[in-house]
Amino acid sequence: MKDLTKGKISTLILGFAIPVFLGNLLQLTYSLADTRIVGSFLGERSLAAVGATTTISNLIVGFLLGLANGFAIITAQKFGAGDKKRVRRSFAIALVLGVIVSAILILIGTVFINPILGFLNVPGKLFIEAKQYILIIIIGLWVTMFYDILMAVMRAIGDTLTPLLILAISVGLNIVLDLLFIPVLKMGIAGAAIATDISQVLSAVLCMLYLIRVDESYKVALRKIRIYKEVAVRIIQVGVPTAIQNTVISFANVLVQSSVNSYGALAMAGFAAYIKIDGFNILPVMSFSMAA
């Protein structure tokens, strides 16, 4: 943990941004590993099915990540002010709100999955595979949100190393499970989605165990979690605009994806590869903005 209120600002931001950059880099390897292994072992058709829903997945995950970072801003402010009581309150409320938001998104996603895939112009021959993949990802959103909030809060109080180490373990597990579920157990693209969900469960569990045991102001006490209206309103006021801002580019990519999908499996597979690589371009700027 670092006290970011003391020391030379440029050095602090650089020291904070580098682990954040590495963490974001590892985060991208989740979907990159899925794409690489699916393309190698299942071929163009399955890669196209995964790619058909990539932008929707990025849109939802981007919204959750923006929401988590927005929620964490309040925790960071209270931590910097030395207000231990409100650090605990803001953290607890962020977790509760995260569960509520993810539940709403899961409900919407599962109920409207067919119209969503129809809007994306997913070809009929790929529809079942694409639906299977994205549904598994959507069902796992609760753990994605939980894990994003835990990671964001740890970074908010100046701890960038612990999230980085946990993320590295999780990504390693994701790759191992991909190689087990796809070429060995023959689970198809569902195996890639399940591997991602399981690895994120591990991340969330490791983060929670750390935050339950740590002897600091941000320690999680599950029995003391309550909703405090004033803090909740402030967290929502900051978190929701941050989340919406984080989805603007992703929404534009959804419209592009809809057009690309109308050209068939080969174009979809190519676009899927492009989207994964394009994610790396924004990493340096994103990392330094998060640090700032």
Side-chain angles (χ1 to χ4, degrees):
M1 182 183 67
K2 293 181 181 178
D3 185 349
L4 300 179
T5 64
K6 298 176 181 178
K8 189 177 179 181
I9 293 176
S10 58
T11 303
L12 285 170
I13 290 180
L14 182 63
F16 191 84
I18 291 175
V20 171
F21 170 78
L22 294 175
N24 287 334
L25 191 64
L26 284 172
Q27 187 82 46
L28 275 179
T29 61
Y30 268 117
S31 57
L32 194 62
D34 287 350
T35 302
R36 177 71 175 86
I37 295 170
V38 167
S40 296
F41 291 100
L42 300 179
E44 173 193 308
R45 178 190 172 102
S46 293
L47 179 58
V50 172
T53 60
T54 295
T55 52
I56 282 291
S57 176
N58 289 347
L59 177 67
I60 297 172
V61 172
F63 179 82
L64 293 180
L65 184 59
L67 199 64
N69 288 330
F71 286 174
I73 287 172
I74 304 302
T75 303
Q77 290 174 345
K78 303 307 177 186
F79 181 78
D83 190 342
K84 295 182 179 181
K85 183 178 180 180
R86 283 186 169 79
V87 166
R88 294 191 186 96
R89 286 186 176 183
S90 62
F91 188 8
I93 292 170
L95 291 175
V96 173
L97 292 175
V99 170
I100 294 171
V101 170
S102 56
I104 293 171
L105 289 177
I106 290 171
L107 179 62
I108 293 173
T110 52
V111 170
F112 295 101
I113 186 63
N114 286 340
I116 290 171
L117 294 180
F119 174 77
L120 286 173
N121 290 320
V122 177
K125 61 183 180 180
L126 299 177
F127 197 92
I128 294 177
E129 277 191 289
K131 180 178 178 179
Q132 184 183 41
Y133 180 81
I134 193 63
L135 270 178
I136 295 171
I137 295 296
I138 288 173
I139 291 170
L141 287 179
W142 65 272
V143 73
T144 301
M145 182 77 241
F146 204 67
Y147 143 85
D148 282 344
I149 289 176
L150 294 174
M151 289 281 191
V153 168
M154 281 194 282
R155 288 170 175 165
I157 51 85
D159 184 357
T160 53
L161 183 58
T162 302
L164 179 61
L165 294 176
I166 291 174
L167 199 52
I169 294 170
S170 178
V171 169
L173 176 65
N174 182 55
I175 294 172
V176 170
L177 291 178
D178 273 341
L179 293 172
L180 173 64
F181 292 162
I182 296 174
V184 178
L185 299 181
K186 310 297 182 183
M187 295 173 64
I189 63 172
I194 293 170
T196 297
D197 284 352
I198 292 175
S199 60
Q200 290 194 339
V201 168
L202 175 66
S203 293
V205 169
L206 291 176
C207 287
M208 182 57 76
L209 288 175
Y210 172 77
L211 290 168
I212 287 175
R213 296 182 179 184
V214 71
D215 187 22
E216 295 288 350
S217 60
Y218 50 89
K219 178 178 180 177
V220 175
L222 297 177
R223 286 182 291 183
K224 295 183 179 180
I225 291 180
R226 302 284 188 278
I227 289 290
Y228 301 94
K229 183 178 178 181
E230 180 184 348
V231 182
V233 169
R234 181 58 184 151
I235 286 178
I236 292 171
Q237 287 175 339
V238 174
V240 172
T242 305
I244 293 172
Q245 178 183 321
N246 213 42
T247 60
V248 172
I249 295 176
S250 296
F251 182 73
N253 284 335
V254 169
L255 301 179
V256 175
Q257 178 84 67
S258 178
S259 178
V260 169
N261 288 352
S262 64
Y263 288 94
L266 184 60
M268 292 162 66
F271 189 69
Y274 150 73
I275 284 291
K276 307 299 182 183
I277 295 170
D278 186 56
F280 289 93
N281 296 332
I282 199 172
L283 275 187
V285 174
M286 181 190 298
S287 301
F288 276 95
S289 67
M290 288 174 66

